[in-house]
């Protein structure tokens, strides 16, 4: 197999793209959630699960859908980018989901804790819940199907490379019997 081609090169490119996109997304999330806001007043922190979601639902369906959707979508790309940055195709689907959701929950918790020191930002336990559910939904919706597709592509590539390698070398040459030295009818007489 030629150097620079094959499964290792594709896996490296997927991991590199996943890592770059992950860093870009985290920078965007940090900018959106940790920048100081100029507001005339700040409401108290929400430490009661589902209290903020109930308040959003009381505002009407459009406003509730917007606010809940924002909470679900903020960290949802991590559900795809974290496994992509890991770059593994053959892993337990349940283990992958558990690791990804745990990492998303920890990142969301870190953001919420950092917001305690940012003017204008408040801690909201419902944001933590919605962010974690968004990560889980994105992972379940995209990652298993993408891994199956990439495994099939890798198998086809591997099989095609093996066939090309076999075909490129052709038949094994056969060598007819060749004598080492020309044979003569009479051997020279030995001299004493």
């Amino acid at each position: 197999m030629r150097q620079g081609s094959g499964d290792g090169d594709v896996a490296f490119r997927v991991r590199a793209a996943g890592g770059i996109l992950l860093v870009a997304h985290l920078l965007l999330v940090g900018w959106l959630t940790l920048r100081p806001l100029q507001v005339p007043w700040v409401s108290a922190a929400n430490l009661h699960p589902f209290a903020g979601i109930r308040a959003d639902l009381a505002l009407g369906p459009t406003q509730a859908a917007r606010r809940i959707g924002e909470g679900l979508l903020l960290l949802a790309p991590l559900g795809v980018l974290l496994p992509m940055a890991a770059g593994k195709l053959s892993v337990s689907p349940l283990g992958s989901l558990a690791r990804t959701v745990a990492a998303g929950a920890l990142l969301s918790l870190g953001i919420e804790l950092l917001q305690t020191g940012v003017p204008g930002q408040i801690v909201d336990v419902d944001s933590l819940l919605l962010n974690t559910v968004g990560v889980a939904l994105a992972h379940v919706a995209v990652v298993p199907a993408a891994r199956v597709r990439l495994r099939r592509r890798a198998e086809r590539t591997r099989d095609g490379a093996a066939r090309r390698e076999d075909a490129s070398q052709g038949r094994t040459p056969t060598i007819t019997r060749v004598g080492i030295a020309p044979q003569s009818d009479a051997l020279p007489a030995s001299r004493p």
Side-chain angles (χ1 to χ4, degrees):
M1 199 179 239
R2 289 179 290 159
Q3 186 176 357
S5 65
D7 296 341
D9 192 35
V10 171
F12 174 76
R13 280 190 261 154
V14 167
R15 279 193 302 271
I20 291 168
L21 290 172
L22 180 64
V23 168
H25 179 69
L26 289 176
L27 288 173
L28 176 67
V29 166
W31 181 77
L32 289 172
T33 59
L34 299 176
R35 64 188 164 126
L37 298 177
Q38 303 261 339
V39 292
W41 60 274
V42 177
S43 61
N46 175 22
L47 300 178
H48 301 288
F50 304 110
I53 294 173
R54 277 192 293 265
D56 290 342
L57 291 172
L59 295 174
T62 306
Q63 191 71 3
R66 186 183 69 78
R67 287 187 175 193
I68 292 171
E70 286 173 356
L72 288 172
L73 293 176
L74 181 66
L75 293 182
L78 295 180
V80 177
L81 295 176
L82 288 171
M84 189 175 169
K88 295 180 181 179
L89 294 179
S90 298
V91 295
S92 164
L94 190 56
S96 175
L97 176 65
R99 281 189 303 274
T100 304
V101 169
L106 287 173
L107 282 168
S108 182
L109 178 63
I111 289 168
E112 293 299 322
L113 292 174
L114 287 172
Q115 283 181 337
T116 59
V118 179
Q121 298 283 1
I122 60 167
V123 176
D124 186 4
V125 71
D126 291 336
S127 293
L128 174 71
L129 294 172
L130 289 172
N131 292 339
T132 304
V133 169
V135 169
L137 290 174
H139 183 88
V140 168
V142 175
V143 173
R147 280 190 172 138
V148 166
R149 186 173 177 190
L150 288 171
R151 275 195 301 263
R152 286 182 185 157
R153 181 183 291 171
E155 287 171 5
R156 281 195 311 263
T157 303
R158 199 176 311 120
D159 292 344
R163 276 191 238 112
R164 280 193 306 273
E165 189 174 298
D166 290 344
S168 67
Q169 293 186 12
R171 278 185 54 219
T172 304
T174 55
I175 301 174
T176 57
R177 187 166 192 187
V178 176
I180 295 176
Q183 295 180 350
S184 70
D185 292 338
L187 292 174
S190 63
R191 295 185 182 180

